[in-house]
Amino acid sequence: MSKIQNFIKKDIEKNPKLKEKYEQASLNLDAAVLVKNMRKDLGMTQVEFAKYVGKPQSTIGRIEAGNMNVSIGLLNEIANRAHRQVKLVLI
């Protein structure tokens, strides 16, 4: 287990209410990586990608910064417009 994982585990043990916040932050970062990788695979800037998928650049920027709670619907919409698919896996 990494140092950050140990820190998070201990932090949640001290305050169990933080678990949801850590989980949401993790999901936001996962979405950030997915969208940024999709954009980079297409060789586009944020502005170009935003136009390509029909979203404001500010939305793409917030997603890529991990500052937005992205819905599955929004991810799916972006993916479809970029000719990709969203696949959900429960583990």
Side-chain angles (χ1 to χ4, degrees):
M1 190 177 284
S2 72
K3 288 182 181 183
I4 189 71
Q5 288 170 322
N6 279 330
F7 174 82
I8 291 170
K9 183 179 177 185
K10 288 177 184 178
D11 209 22
I12 290 171
E13 287 170 359
K14 292 177 192 173
N15 186 352
K17 292 180 182 181
L18 291 175
K19 184 177 181 184
E20 269 186 46
K21 291 185 183 211
Y22 278 118
E23 288 173 347
Q24 185 62 58
S26 179
L27 291 171
N28 291 353
L29 292 174
D30 288 344
V33 170
L34 289 172
V35 170
K36 188 169 188 173
N37 286 343
M38 188 181 343
R39 176 178 64 77
K40 287 191 167 205
D41 286 346
L42 293 167
M44 296 181 181
T45 66
Q46 281 188 358
V47 171
E48 293 167 333
F49 185 70
K51 287 180 184 176
Y52 186 70
V53 299
K55 297 294 172 195
Q57 181 277 326
S58 60
T59 298
I60 301 303
R62 286 193 333 261
I63 293 169
E64 288 188 9
N67 295 331
M68 184 173 176
N69 293 345
V70 184
S71 70
I72 294 170
L74 178 57
L75 273 179
N76 190 53
E77 190 177 336
I78 291 169
N80 285 338
R81 290 182 181 175
H83 308 288
R84 305 287 199 290
Q85 293 181 333
V86 172
K87 182 178 179 181
L88 297 176
V89 178
L90 294 175
I91 53 172

